[in-house]
Amino acid sequence: MTVILHVDMDAFFASVELLSHPEWRGKPLVVGSGPHERGVVSTCSYEARKYGIHSAMPSRTAYQLCPHAIFKYPDMAKYQAVSDKAFEVFSHYTPYVEGVSVDEAFLDIAGSLHLFRGASAAERAVALGEALRSEIRRVCGVTCSVGIAPNRLLAKIGSEQHKPDGLTLMPFEPDEIAAFLARKPIGILWGVGKKTIEALKPYGITTCGDVQRLGRGNALVSDDLVDMAFGRSDDKVHWEPGEEKSVSREHTFDEDISDREAVREKLLELVTDVGLRFRREKRWARTARFKLRDADFETLTRQMPFAHPARDDFAFREAALRLFDREWPEGSAKYTVRLVGFGVANLQDFPEDSEPMLFADPEDESRRKRERLSETLDALRERGLLKN
């Protein structure tokens, strides 16, 4: 039997900031650009969300909605440090961990259930989930929400049911799964964005139950969508044993977004996050990767080689922006975006492309300067002395 746990850290950036500023608890907190700057919200506390504030919203709009909110610049080094602790906790419960982002992961826990007490597999899964949540709270000082289910789709849906700081055990029997989903809006399913929702609305299709009644082989929606409406999915936890083969980060926006500059700013935030994590080991990357997923869940991926194996922020940013600008030129209204991601791959333990040269290459010295500067910036971020 497959048992998958999805863990989602609650308002993660904002929650981490409260560790340093307990006096902000209970107040609307916005992490992102300043209230009078051109920039966007990265995330916000649940108190701020009551005013309609959400991620990727222009910070000026957030200020108009809640002028008395506290605005704080993101500190990716601080968030990464807490994330590292959280992922260490995840590893206490299973070696099969798929990190989706700095604050989200899927865990295959089927092989660990026997370590927990309970009269049934369901009871043991809940005991494991509660133990994990308790350890996250104790070790990291923040809360998380957990969903437990027979596949990733349902586990993800489950973690959203009782946020913040909740646990949901999803049904495992097909009939019970279908009944649970029948009342839910189709927007909870992977791949269903605003365009799909609006396209199906004239046909009276607004819930998973409406899609279930169509059945497979209908002329209106795909068989894949019908399967998801029934909670059918054979997706597994994707994990890589041993050393990392790539380093990447993704961000899913709370609402689909068409603001090119807001997506671009989020991409640069992800680049900083990738660089911080990447430089914790002595390694270089040969390839940069860029991902964009639109409102219809169509996913575009692009990649390009670095001119030389790289590990510095300058090379990472240049590659990310080149890929982004090439795909979404300034002045175009090409995308309504659901997710953006950046990563580096084809890793190696040395900076040279080939055998050392007899004479020094000026590019080598330039590369070393960029690397030293990037490491200095990392140290400043770790000490909270530099905005991301």
Side-chain angles (χ1 to χ4, degrees), residues 169-236:
L169 177 67
M170 296 290 283
F172 275 64
E173 295 299 323
D175 291 346
E176 295 176 359
I177 294 170
F180 176 90
L181 292 176
R183 301 182 300 274
K184 303 295 183 182
I186 57 175
I188 69 168
L189 302 176
W190 283 337
V192 179
K194 288 184 177 180
K195 290 183 180 179
T196 302
I197 292 172
E198 292 302 317
L200 293 178
K201 193 176 295 184
Y203 298 94
I205 300 172
T206 60
T207 68
C208 293
D210 296 329
V211 177
Q212 291 173 7
R213 285 186 285 274
L214 288 175
R216 291 173 61 91
N218 72 86
L220 197 56
V221 302
S222 69
D223 287 349
D224 287 342
L225 184 56
V226 174
D227 286 342
M228 283 195 295
F230 279 102
R232 301 174 192 143
S233 175
D234 60 357
D235 53 349
K236 308 294 184 184

Side-chain angles (χ1 to χ4, degrees), residues 122-154:
E123 291 182 8
R124 293 191 291 272
V126 170
L128 184 154
E130 292 293 7
L132 182 148
R133 292 176 61 244
S134 177
E135 189 173 354
I136 287 291
R137 190 182 300 109
R138 176 174 57 82
V139 173
C140 301
V142 298
T143 64
C144 65
S145 296
V146 161
I148 301 172
N151 58 50
R152 291 166 82 252
L153 168 67
L154 294 173

Side-chain angles (χ1 to χ4, degrees), residues 192-353:
V192 179
K194 288 184 177 180
K195 290 183 180 179
T196 302
I197 292 172
E198 292 302 317
L200 293 178
K201 193 176 295 184
Y203 298 94
I205 300 172
T206 60
T207 68
C208 293
D210 296 329
V211 177
Q212 291 173 7
R213 285 186 285 274
L214 288 175
R216 291 173 61 91
N218 72 86
L220 197 56
V221 302
S222 69
D223 287 349
D224 287 342
L225 184 56
V226 174
D227 286 342
M228 283 195 295
F230 279 102
R232 301 174 192 143
S233 175
D234 60 357
D235 53 349
K236 308 294 184 184
V237 170
H238 304 290
W239 65 284
E240 292 183 345
E243 296 182 357
E244 291 179 299
K245 302 299 188 297
S246 64
V247 178
S248 63
R249 281 290 183 252
E250 298 177 352
H251 175 79
T252 301
F253 295 100
D254 292 340
E255 297 183 3
D256 297 342
I257 179 173
S258 300
D259 185 334
R260 179 183 181 276
E261 290 305 310
V263 177
R264 190 175 187 271
E265 184 169 326
K266 176 56 68 174
L267 173 64
L268 290 176
E269 187 177 297
L270 296 174
V271 171
T272 298
D273 193 8
V274 167
L276 276 166
R277 179 179 167 191
F278 185 80
R279 283 186 295 275
R280 291 184 175 180
E281 297 181 22
K282 208 70 174 177
R283 52 188 174 181
W284 286 258
R286 298 180 62 87
T287 305
R289 291 175 175 171
F290 165 67
K291 177 187 287 188
L292 207 62
R293 182 171 296 152
D294 67 17
D296 291 326
F297 223 75
E298 293 293 327
T299 302
L300 171 147
T301 57
R302 297 287 184 267
Q303 67 180 41
M304 61 175 286
F306 293 108
H308 302 279
R311 68 189 309 265
D312 62 275
D313 274 339
F314 304 95
F316 287 6
R317 287 170 65 95
E318 180 183 359
L321 292 179
R322 185 176 299 178
L323 289 166
F324 178 82
D325 293 340
R326 184 185 301 165
E327 188 58 38
W328 194 350
E330 188 173 5
S332 69
K334 192 172 183 180
Y335 289 103
T336 300
V337 174
R338 185 184 186 96
L339 173 149
V340 64
F342 175 77
V344 293
N346 294 333
L347 312 186
Q348 59 188 49
D349 298 327
F350 50 89
E352 294 82 12
D353 282 303

Side-chain angles (χ1 to χ4, degrees), residues 23 229 262:
E23 70 275 14

Side-chain angles (χ1 to χ4, degrees), residues 15-61:
S15 297
V16 174
E17 291 295 343
L18 295 179
L19 300 177
S20 304
H21 299 279
E23 70 275 14
W24 293 348
R25 291 191 182 278
K27 299 178 181 179
L29 170 62
V30 177
V31 179
S33 298
H36 305 297
E37 297 179 358
R38 184 183 180 187
V40 298
V41 174
S42 292
T43 191
C44 60
S45 66
Y46 288 96
E47 290 81 5
R49 296 180 191 191
K50 295 176 182 177
Y51 292 87
I53 300 172
H54 57 79
S55 68
M57 170 183 285
S59 293
R60 292 174 181 174
T61 302

